Amino acid sequence: MTLPLLQVNNLQVDFVTELGTTTAVNNISLEVQRGEIVAIVGESGSGKSVTSLSILQLLPSPPARFTQGEILFSPDGRQAANLLTQTPQQMRSIRGNQIAMIFQEPMTSLNPVFTCGDQVMEAIRLHRKLSKEAATQKTIELFEKVKLPNPAQLFHRYPHQLSGGQKQRVMIAMAMSCEPDLLICDEPTTALDVTVQKTILQLIKSLQETEQMGVIFITHDLSVVAEIADKAVVMYKGSIVEQGSVNQLFANPQHPYTKGLLACRPILHPKGERLPVVSDFLEGRRSEVQTAPSMAVVPTSASETRQAQRLLTIENLSVWFPSKKSFLGKPLEYTRAVDDVSFEVYKGETLGLVGESGCGKTTLGRTVLRLIEPTKGKITYDGIDLTAKKRDELKALRKDIQIVFQDPYSSLNPRLTIGSAIAEPLQVHRLLPTEKQRRDKVVELLEKVNLKAEHFDRYPHEFSGGQRQRIVIARTLALNPSFVVCDESVSALDVSVQAQVLNLLNDLKKEFGFTVIFISHDLSVVRYISDRIMVMNKGKIEEIGDAEQVYFHPAKDYTQQLIASIPKGFLG
């Protein structure tokens, strides 16, 4: 009888600290066969990454402790070794050689002081004992295999000189360099554009089929699971709640948690309908999962009253950055991040701004707020020409126009409590004179974004990603703005947390009546929350129109390509 490539039996992982013992993985069992892709799916904190790091013995001990179970690895199908009992030297010969891993964040996984080629070569020379010339040639061949442009040139480039998708491909090349029997992919497509995500998924699938590897694919996105996996293992709070074939899981989910993950995807719901969240299913408030996207065209209030209520007008706006300078520092060439763009935004509407990384959408959003200076063009807000205002004159307008930044952690001061961070704009604009009034206002805002008064004195690092995103939204709303730019505000969140934040934005928009430019690379989210969609490509507007029309009947090839790249799991 042939043994499975990997067999995890009754594994329990505890973390022992001064505060006590926490069970991160609780009595889990799973198998991976050669030539099979097994997806481990669940929200942040469910135990997915702890499971994968346990396989490679990469958890620091202490505090990690394996209290029961075994992890059996059998590359030949005849004899199995328990990875939990291997010596450090034995594990070094297995890691990167027989079992390889693609980590979640390529920028932090790649060493910034070594070229991409050198880092891939290191693994090859360590495990395969090749000469420098042979290792160089193999690295270039790997770069070609993962479809990197100009492999010989990229060999000599540093990680910061590559895009997110290119860095991820370098990580895949490194993982594939020693032709492993088992490949572990830890959230390899999180926060990537849908087009780059599709390319990465196709690449992993084709390499797996060519090399007949076993693959463990860790993700929080069930739509990606539908695209790539044969089997799925659903984890919740350290335990496996459901596992089986992907077709079975999507067609007939059994556990309320799985039903919740499937149901809260925005594409399954018409605009304005409240998204279900996981707690609805766990607490028995809902039981059925909608499995087809709504194609009903919902009339929008913005489209009914546009002409009379124009709030923002952008005319021939361009933002150019010098890309090449002379010896004396004079610009010789420019990158046209935003190139002659014109559009309008109407009071009370949500305009979705969508496109791939590098298309200019974030630059455009920040330029509208004068956080980046325009090269030319005109920005008119509520009859005021913002491009004619000096920086000190803009301060009075800042309380009306706000931004929710992409990364809430980096936009919050780690030394300030979240209460102080939310109160700061109130103090700067002298809206509430006393500290007690400001504190009462902050507590009111925290409760509006589903946080509690006792959170006032906590620091940003004490919150989850979804909670930090709510804190940033509360700070944005402190000044009661009439116009808000949301820059990729849900792109890296778990799908269930994403549903909570989208519900929150819709609720707050109804209550406060502000106008929104919602920037994202995810067309399914943009379609759900927006009245109109504007598609950007290489600094220019590709297409603009009503959200349902652009999503279901795109006029331009580029928009069709973006929609075609959305994992089919989104469509039920």
Side-chain angles (χ1 to χ4, degrees):
M1 189 177 93
T2 305
L3 294 172
L5 178 63
L6 185 82
Q7 197 169 3
V8 178
N9 296 324
N10 309 114
L11 181 68
Q12 180 164 324
V13 185
D14 293 341
F15 286 90
V16 182
T17 66
E18 294 172 356
L19 300 175
T21 300
T22 302
T23 300
V25 170
N26 185 18
N27 195 29
I28 69 164
S29 297
L30 61 94
E31 287 184 2
V32 182
Q33 304 288 347
R34 184 172 284 280
E36 180 180 56
I37 299 180
V38 176
I40 302 179
V41 67
E43 298 171 283
S44 296
S46 63
K48 311 185 301 290
S49 293
V50 171
T51 302
S52 66
L53 293 171
S54 299
I55 294 167
L56 281 171
Q57 292 293 283
L58 290 175
L59 292 173
S61 180
R65 191 171 69 190
F66 298 96
T67 51
Q68 71 173 46
E70 57 184 4
I71 302 173
L72 302 177
F73 179 56
S74 176
D76 61 4
R78 292 189 296 274
Q79 289 183 311
N82 185 358
L83 298 179
L84 297 183
T85 61
Q86 301 297 295
T87 66
Q89 188 175 357
Q90 287 171 324
M91 283 308 301
R92 277 197 296 272
S93 68
I94 292 172
R95 285 190 209 112
N97 187 22
Q98 293 175 296
I99 305 177
M101 187 163 182
I102 302 168
F103 291 94
Q104 182 170 357
E105 179 44 73
M107 194 63 217
T108 55
S109 304
L110 292 168
N111 192 322
V113 301
F114 290 103
T115 66
C116 295
D118 283 339
Q119 295 185 61
V120 176
M121 270 176 61
E122 182 184 21
I124 296 171
R125 297 194 70 188
L126 178 67
H127 292 293
R128 291 289 184 262
K129 311 297 182 189
L130 295 181
S131 66
K132 187 175 181 181
E133 292 74 19
T136 300
Q137 184 57 38
K138 182 163 176 67
T139 300
I140 292 172
E141 287 171 6
L142 284 163
F143 282 179
E144 287 173 356
K145 206 171 194 177
V146 298
K147 297 180 172 60
L148 279 167
N150 303 316
Q153 291 180 20
L154 280 178
F155 183 95
H156 300 289
R157 289 192 185 165
Y158 291 88
H160 73 273
Q161 296 175 298
L162 275 61
S163 71
Q166 288 173 337
K167 284 195 283 277
Q168 198 61 280
R169 288 183 220 188
V170 170
M171 289 294 298
I172 293 172
M174 190 185 299
M176 295 300 301
S177 62
C178 295
E179 300 166 7
D181 300 290
L182 177 66
L183 178 65
I184 301 171
C185 307
D186 188 2
E187 300 269 15
T189 59
T190 298
L192 292 180
D193 300 333
V194 284
T195 48
V196 179
Q197 173 180 270
K198 186 175 184 179
T199 305
I200 297 293
L201 292 177
Q202 288 173 340
L203 177 60
I204 291 170
K205 184 78 174 172
S206 66
L207 291 171
Q208 175 262 333
E209 289 172 350
T210 306
E211 307 294 336
Q212 274 300 293
M213 297 181 298
V215 176
I216 294 176
F217 194 96
I218 296 168
T219 181
H220 61 254
D221 190 342
L222 273 166
S223 303
V224 171
V225 173
E227 190 84 358
I228 196 171
D230 302 304
K231 282 195 325 196
V233 176
V234 182
M235 291 190 72
Y236 176 61
K237 292 186 176 177
S239 299
I240 292 175
V241 295
E242 189 167 356
Q243 61 179 309
S245 75
V246 167
N247 291 338
Q248 174 190 334
L249 190 97
F250 271 76
N252 189 24
Q254 296 299 306
H255 196 275
Y257 180 69
T258 313
K259 291 178 181 180
L261 286 180
L262 282 165
C264 59
R265 296 167 293 159
I267 189 52
L268 299 180
H269 304 274
K271 177 180 161 49
E273 180 182 288
R274 190 166 191 80
L275 294 173
V277 294
V278 168
S279 60
D280 293 337
F281 288 82
L282 292 173
E283 294 165 15
R285 291 191 294 272
R286 293 185 68 139
S287 60
E288 292 305 311
V289 181
Q290 187 175 329
T291 56
S294 169
M295 296 184 65
V297 177
V298 181
T300 64
S301 57
S303 58
E304 291 164 2
T305 57
R306 272 179 192 154
Q307 294 306 320
Q309 299 189 1
R310 188 181 294 123
L311 180 67
L312 181 74
T313 305
I314 306 296
E315 299 172 76
N316 308 111
L317 189 70
S318 293
V319 183
W320 297 0
F321 299 112
S323 58
K324 190 177 179 182
K325 294 183 179 181
S326 68
F327 180 72
L328 297 174
K330 184 180 179 182
L332 299 175
E333 293 177 9
Y334 291 90
T335 297
R336 301 187 179 198
V338 178
D339 192 10
D340 197 26
V341 162
S342 299
F343 64 95
E344 295 166 338
V345 184
Y346 304 95
K347 282 186 181 176
E349 85 164 336
T350 299
L351 175 68
L353 177 54
V354 71
E356 297 173 280
S357 294
C359 72
K361 55 188 188 298
T362 293
T363 302
L364 175 58
R366 294 187 180 197
T367 305
V368 166
L369 304 184
R370 284 281 306 274
L371 298 176
I372 295 174
E373 290 300 321
T375 305
K376 61 179 181 180
K378 188 176 180 182
I379 305 166
T380 307
Y381 172 76
D382 205 16
I384 301 166
D385 183 0
L386 297 186
T387 44
K389 294 282 183 186
K390 293 179 180 174
R391 282 206 166 269
D392 55 342
E393 293 176 315
L394 284 170
K395 184 179 175 182
L397 286 167
R398 290 284 180 218
K399 60 179 189 294
D400 278 335
I401 50 177
Q402 290 286 305
I403 185 168
V404 179
F405 289 101
Q406 181 171 358
D407 181 358
Y409 194 70
S410 63
S411 61
L412 289 168
N413 188 330
R415 295 183 178 183
L416 286 182
T417 64
I418 62 129
S420 301
I422 298 170
E424 188 177 38
L426 295 170
Q427 194 170 358
V428 168
H429 289 279
R430 299 173 185 171
L431 294 184
L432 296 171
T434 69
E435 191 173 333
K436 184 183 183 307
Q437 286 176 311
R438 290 195 292 271
R439 188 181 182 96
D440 291 344
K441 177 69 174 174
V442 171
V443 168
E444 180 191 329
L445 286 164
L446 285 173
E447 288 171 350
K448 278 194 189 301
V449 297
N450 303 325
L451 292 171
K452 297 175 182 174
E454 56 259 36
H455 291 146
F456 187 100
D457 294 313
R458 293 189 191 173
Y459 290 87
H461 73 272
E462 297 179 81
F463 294 90
S464 69
Q467 287 174 320
R468 281 197 290 267
Q469 196 62 271
R470 292 181 216 179
I471 292 162
V472 171
I473 291 169
R475 184 179 62 181
T476 298
L477 295 176
L479 299 172
N480 197 15
S482 54
F483 177 66
V484 177
V485 174
C486 293
D487 186 8
E488 297 275 14
S489 52
V490 297
S491 63
L493 300 178
D494 294 336
V495 69
S496 54
V497 179
Q498 181 187 83
Q500 293 169 18
V501 173
L502 291 174
N503 284 338
L504 174 65
L505 284 170
N506 275 332
D507 291 345
L508 294 171
K509 189 168 177 287
K510 282 176 190 171
E511 182 176 346
F512 291 95
F514 51 80
T515 304
V516 182
I517 291 182
F518 189 91
I519 299 171
S520 179
H521 61 255
D522 189 339
L523 254 167
S524 59
V525 171
V526 170
R527 170 254 171 193
Y528 167 76
I529 202 165
S530 303
D531 298 302
R532 290 187 301 146
I533 292 176
M534 184 165 76
V535 183
M536 275 191 82
N537 182 23
K538 295 177 181 175
K540 292 184 177 290
I541 294 174
E542 194 79 23
E543 184 170 355
I544 187 166
D546 282 335
E548 304 288 324
Q549 183 68 32
V550 171
Y551 188 86
F552 290 112
H553 307 287
K556 295 295 181 75
D557 290 343
Y558 178 73
T559 314
Q560 291 170 12
Q561 180 191 340
L562 285 180
I563 292 168
S565 298
I566 297 171
K568 64 177 180 290
F570 266 119
L571 305 178

